[in-house]
Amino acid sequence: MVTDLIPSAVLPWIPLVMVVLSLAAAVAIFPMGERRVRLRSWVNLSAAVAKVLLVVLLVPAVVAEGTRPEFSVPFLPLGEGESIDLVLRVDPLALFFAGLSALLWLLTTIYAIGYLERGSDRSRFFGFFSLCVTATVGISFSGNLITFLVFYEILTLVTYPLVAHWGDEKSLRAARMYMRYALSGGVAVLIGVIWLTMYAGPVDFAEEGGAEGVAALAAESPGVAVTIFVLLVGGMGVKAALVPLHSWLPSAMVAPAPVSALLHAVAVVKAGVFGIVRVIDDVFGIEVAEELGVLGPLLAVACFTVLYGSYQAMRQTELKKRLAFSTVSQVSYVVVGVSMVSALATAGGVVHLVHQGIMKITLFFCAGLFAEVIRAHTIGELRGAGRRMPWTSAAFTVGALGMIGLPPTAGFVTKWQLGLGALDAGQGWVVLVLLGSSVLNAAYFLPVVWMLWFAEPEGESGEAPDAGASDEAPQPEGEPQREKEPGALVVPAVITAVATLAVGLGAALSFAPLQVAEAIAEAVFR
């Protein structure tokens, strides 16, 4: 029993401890001088490792034993001795998202320490980096809409300095654009939360069938309920990069590679789509949402986003922008899944929270490596990089094949599950969208893979363009120069690439992401 490891009296404090861990790391890091590299790295890594261990300890209690650790404190007074509480609760969906953020935070921290080894303003960077993870874990464990709103808005504010980190005009312009979009979406969410609270009272996230009071509101005032749904999902759709609310995301690619990885795989985009999952499944409930007629239009928007993002990715010659539009497309698979009335489809959407995270962070880790080691920023500059940076190129290839959806990768499991769910829900046309998306994914990822492994480097002698000086012995004539791939950067990329294969091959194992996602979906339809 888990209580042999964690006393029952301690369990309710764990979600609070997990939020405070990264907050304490931020408080400790901000005042550190730039030269305190070892201390800053130790604080970052210690907090990240501790968070992963706590997630591991929670899995048996929450998933196997059905325990729901909860911490609450009064927050907003309602009069007559009543109040709306700030609630941190660990249910399977919360743990699913928190586990993803904890593991990828650890890997991204290792990567960022190496990436910014010779950078400036590192204490500021890692301080806001930790605050970003604080907000993400708070979003994960939010037990009601008010708590979610608080951490959701904190996330908006603390990610601005990360997007603007380089401080040049391009970075500042992108950061301002991000803030305009994010704050506008946040206002929509705020209005929706206040309006719903006025009608239905404090709205807790309910694992089975939606929150109390929301079904009554939908029956009595369906127009109001639909408007609130649009405000909540539309506001969260900004961070989730649903078309036409996506334009901030490609612009934000001027940020450092660890920030891009964080935005796409762990924090901002995932926070938006996670919120949409909560609204559909745990606030309104799938049956009420279907009766209101809001799922069909949302499914159409999500499917359009899947295809539009892929089309725009094909048009990009800059690697990070191609990956950004790929995120616009891929994250919408989650919305596609939860918009169909099928446990199979919901499981496919929920599992993609993890699958997209590990695949996309692999690709951004590799993009950062290509930029740092061989100064390659565009697709054309990757000619022959597979022979110069074989580990990085292999990791990128695995991530790309996963995004296309080829077996035995995580991406194949997602698309297979969504396809089954579409047929189960009577939405067979969605299968065509998934197939079309895979074709488009192949059209913009396979040329990159070909460039890496089969295209000849520029120059007759195989010399790398603009590769910089090297201390290694000269290579035989005609052989491209083998580059040194920094361990702190390439090891996280290889780990996530291996994970992309592992979760695909082990999808049927107990506690595999798909099995947890299926349990979450079954609770929604119970």
Side-chain angles (χ1 to χ4, degrees):
M1 295 291 290
V2 71
T3 51
D4 296 334
L5 297 174
I6 309 174
S8 57
V10 174
L11 276 174
W13 293 91
I14 291 182
L16 178 64
V17 170
M18 290 187 65
V19 172
V20 170
L21 267 174
S22 42
L23 176 62
V27 172
I29 288 168
F30 275 122
M32 289 184 187
E34 283 299 303
R35 296 183 180 181
R36 305 298 297 272
V37 176
R38 289 188 178 180
L39 178 59
R40 183 170 53 242
S41 300
W42 181 87
V43 170
N44 268 306
L45 292 173
S46 297
V49 170
K51 188 167 291 187
V52 171
L53 292 176
L54 287 173
V55 168
V56 172
L57 289 174
L58 282 172
V59 169
V62 175
V63 178
E65 298 178 15
T67 306
R68 300 291 182 264
E70 180 178 317
F71 174 87
S72 63
V73 61
F75 179 54
L76 294 175
L78 294 175
E80 299 181 0
E82 296 185 0
S83 65
I84 300 177
D85 294 344
L86 280 179
V87 180
L88 299 175
R89 183 186 304 120
V90 187
D91 60 27
L93 180 59
L95 188 61
F96 202 58
F97 190 35
L100 173 72
S101 66
L103 179 59
L104 297 189
W105 179 38
L106 173 59
L107 295 174
T108 308
T109 298
I110 296 170
Y111 184 94
I113 289 171
Y115 188 88
L116 296 172
E117 185 178 7
R118 293 181 296 274
S120 59
D121 300 314
R122 285 170 291 180
S123 290
R124 185 188 69 192
F125 176 90
F126 283 107
F128 281 108
F129 188 82
S130 295
L131 288 179
C132 182
V133 178
T134 301
T136 303
V137 174
I139 288 170
S140 304
F141 290 153
S142 293
N144 60 23
L145 265 179
I146 290 293
T147 308
F148 180 92
L149 176 67
V150 169
F151 285 107
Y152 191 81
E153 300 299 355
I154 290 173
L155 181 63
T156 296
L157 299 177
V158 299
T159 44
Y160 173 85
L162 295 175
V163 177
H165 178 74
W166 296 129
D168 56 21
E169 180 56 33
K170 190 175 181 181
S171 299
L172 294 174
R173 186 167 57 249
R176 288 193 295 268
M177 183 178 185
Y178 161 70
M179 284 297 285
R180 286 196 299 271
Y181 272 79
L183 289 176
S184 299
V187 168
V189 174
L190 174 63
I191 294 172
V193 170
I194 293 173
W195 200 352
L196 186 58
T197 302
M198 288 173 57
Y199 275 94
V203 179
D204 281 355
F205 293 142
E207 290 183 60
E208 301 176 10
E212 287 186 32
V214 176
L217 170 64
E220 296 171 5
S221 305
V224 172
V226 168
T227 304
I228 292 173
F229 183 91
V230 171
L231 284 169
L232 293 175
V233 171
M236 295 170 189
V238 174
K239 280 191 171 74
L242 287 173
V243 174
L245 308 172
H246 66 288
S247 298
W248 66 270
L249 188 57
S251 298
M253 291 305 93
V254 299
V259 176
S260 298
L262 198 71
L263 290 175
H264 288 254
V266 186
V268 177
V269 176
K270 282 297 172 57
V273 77
F274 177 80
I276 292 174
V277 174
R278 281 293 198 195
V279 168
I280 293 174
D281 291 343
D282 299 336
V283 174
F284 281 79
I286 194 75
E287 292 183 3
V288 171
E290 183 186 20
E291 290 172 2
L292 289 173
V294 293
L295 295 182
L298 181 59
L299 177 61
V301 170
C303 286
F304 179 77
T305 301
V306 166
L307 297 176
Y308 177 83
S310 295
Y311 167 72
Q312 289 296 337
M314 289 176 57
R315 302 178 63 219
Q316 309 304 312
T317 58
E318 186 180 330
L319 181 59
K320 285 181 70 176
K321 282 200 172 183
R322 181 168 289 196
L323 295 180
F325 278 106
S326 171
T327 296
V328 172
S329 171
Q330 291 281 334
V331 168
S332 283
Y333 287 163
V334 179
V335 184
V336 169
V338 298
S339 298
M340 291 187 284
V341 186
S342 162
L344 291 172
T346 297
V350 170
V351 79
H352 201 57
L353 285 168
V354 169
H355 289 176
Q356 188 272 347
I358 58 177
M359 293 186 295
K360 185 48 63 75
I361 207 167
T362 301
L363 296 171
F364 272 107
F365 282 164
C366 294
L369 271 157
F370 289 135
E372 285 298 299
V373 176
I374 60 174
R375 302 294 184 265
H377 300 277
T378 66
I379 310 302
E381 292 169 344
L382 293 174
R383 298 179 66 90
R387 284 165 284 176
R388 300 168 63 192
M389 300 177 65
W391 287 102
T392 304
S393 299
F396 187 95
T397 300
V398 171
L401 296 180
M403 287 295 180
I404 294 170
L406 296 179
T409 64
F412 171 76
V413 174
T414 290
K415 293 186 179 183
W416 177 265
Q417 191 74 20
L418 288 175
L420 292 176
L423 296 176
D424 182 54
Q427 303 280 4
W429 62 274
V430 175
V431 176
L432 299 178
V433 173
L434 297 173
L435 291 173
S437 173
S438 289
V439 171
L440 293 172
N441 296 159
Y444 66 78
F445 272 123
L446 291 183
V448 183
V449 174
W450 186 87
M451 278 286 183
L452 293 174
W453 297 108
F454 304 109
E456 290 296 327
E458 292 184 6
E460 293 292 325
S461 65
E463 294 180 359
D466 194 25
S470 174
D471 296 329
E472 297 182 11
Q475 301 292 311
E477 187 175 352
E479 288 293 323
Q481 178 71 49
R482 173 76 178 267
E483 304 290 344
K484 181 179 179 181
E485 300 170 89
L489 277 65
V490 76
V491 169
V494 171
I495 289 174
T496 52
V498 170
T500 297
L501 295 171
V503 298
L505 290 168
L509 298 177
S510 298
F511 296 121
L514 179 59
Q515 302 306 309
V516 178
E518 287 179 344
I520 293 168
E522 287 171 4
V524 170
F525 284 85
R526 189 172 299 161

